[in-house]
Amino acid sequence: ETASSAVDADRCAGGDDGATPAPAAGDHKASTSVGSYVEALYDSLVHAIIRPPRSLYDARRLGPTSFVVGGRRVTREDVDLTNDRGEALAASHWVFDGDAPDARRPAVVFVHANSAARVQALHYLNLALSLGCSFFAFDCAGSGLSDGDYVTLGWREADDLAAATAYLKSRGAGALAAWGCSMGAASIIFYLSRRAAALAPKPEDDDLSTRFA
């Protein structure tokens, strides 16, 4: 009887009713700490992609507004474009002085890399001008001096490129070529794929769709 009473006392004191013991307070804190760390790590990775260090610069880094290349004077025209989301895009267009309005001179559009800006285009400026092309560069939304808080590694930047090509066409540019680095190259690919999809014949316009109906 004494042994039985001792067992009953142990059950009451230790809660020996088949239930799982509650975790210690230290275990809960450790679990919370690990969860917070993983969440912070995920947020930092996402932030590194959509909000990398922004390349801010003084406009003087774009160089002189007028200079001579191959005996022809070139002028840099700084303009502000607006993309389809209403964001202002800082841009520059290097043009040859004296061109007739209907000259339809070919143009090269440069699209910069991630965490860069239109100043990156200066590495290729003389080459494009020496080929007789005007040269156009802009800060993508979320980059450089343009509006926007985030970048999308080419997805929305393709819309910025569309705004640039529309501007050049409105200025009477001839053939257009695009030159991109890293994110800029991805922007061009997205832009061209969307343009090809927009120009593709619709099923009702496709002869094959009615030929086998």
Side-chain angles (χ1 to χ4, degrees):
E1 181 178 357
T2 303
S4 176
S5 298
V7 171
D8 292 340
D10 288 341
R11 286 179 177 174
C12 292
D16 186 11
D17 56 359
T20 303
D27 294 340
H28 177 70
K29 290 182 178 179
S31 176
T32 302
S33 178
V34 171
S36 299
Y37 172 77
V38 172
E39 183 178 357
L41 178 61
Y42 174 80
D43 289 343
S44 64
L45 289 173
V46 172
H47 195 268
I49 295 172
I50 65 174
R51 182 59 281 157
R54 191 171 190 136
S55 177
L56 297 176
Y57 58 92
D58 190 300
R60 288 176 294 183
R61 288 186 56 192
L62 294 170
T65 57
S66 182
F67 53 94
V68 176
V69 174
R72 294 287 308 274
R73 180 158 292 279
V74 174
T75 298
R76 190 190 83 229
E77 301 175 352
D78 295 332
V79 298
D80 287 326
L81 306 181
T82 304
N83 62 18
D84 61 352
R85 298 182 301 281
E87 296 167 321
L89 307 176
S92 295
H93 191 194
W94 288 265
V95 299
F96 288 91
D97 290 0
D99 273 355
D102 59 349
R104 295 188 58 79
R105 182 181 293 276
V108 175
V109 185
F110 180 82
V111 192
H112 63 76
N114 191 20
S115 199
R118 59 180 158 159
V119 291
Q120 186 181 22
L122 298 180
H123 296 291
Y124 316 100
L125 174 61
N126 286 336
L127 175 58
L129 295 176
S130 67
L131 295 174
C133 303
S134 71
F135 196 65
F136 190 89
F138 61 95
D139 292 342
C140 294
S143 299
L145 306 182
S146 290
D147 289 348
D149 297 321
Y150 303 104
V151 300
T152 59
L153 301 184
W155 182 252
R156 286 188 172 181
E157 288 75 12
D159 299 330
D160 302 339
L161 175 57
T165 59
Y167 171 81
L168 290 170
K169 290 176 182 177
S170 72
R171 291 289 306 273
L176 299 180
W179 189 338
C181 293
S182 184
M183 181 182 75
S187 306
I188 296 169
I189 293 172
F190 284 130
Y191 169 79
L192 292 176
S193 64
R194 294 173 191 172
R195 188 169 183 271
L199 296 177
K202 296 184 175 68
E204 59 268 23
D205 298 331
D206 188 354
D207 291 338
L208 291 179
S209 64
T210 56
R211 190 179 306 169
F212 298 102

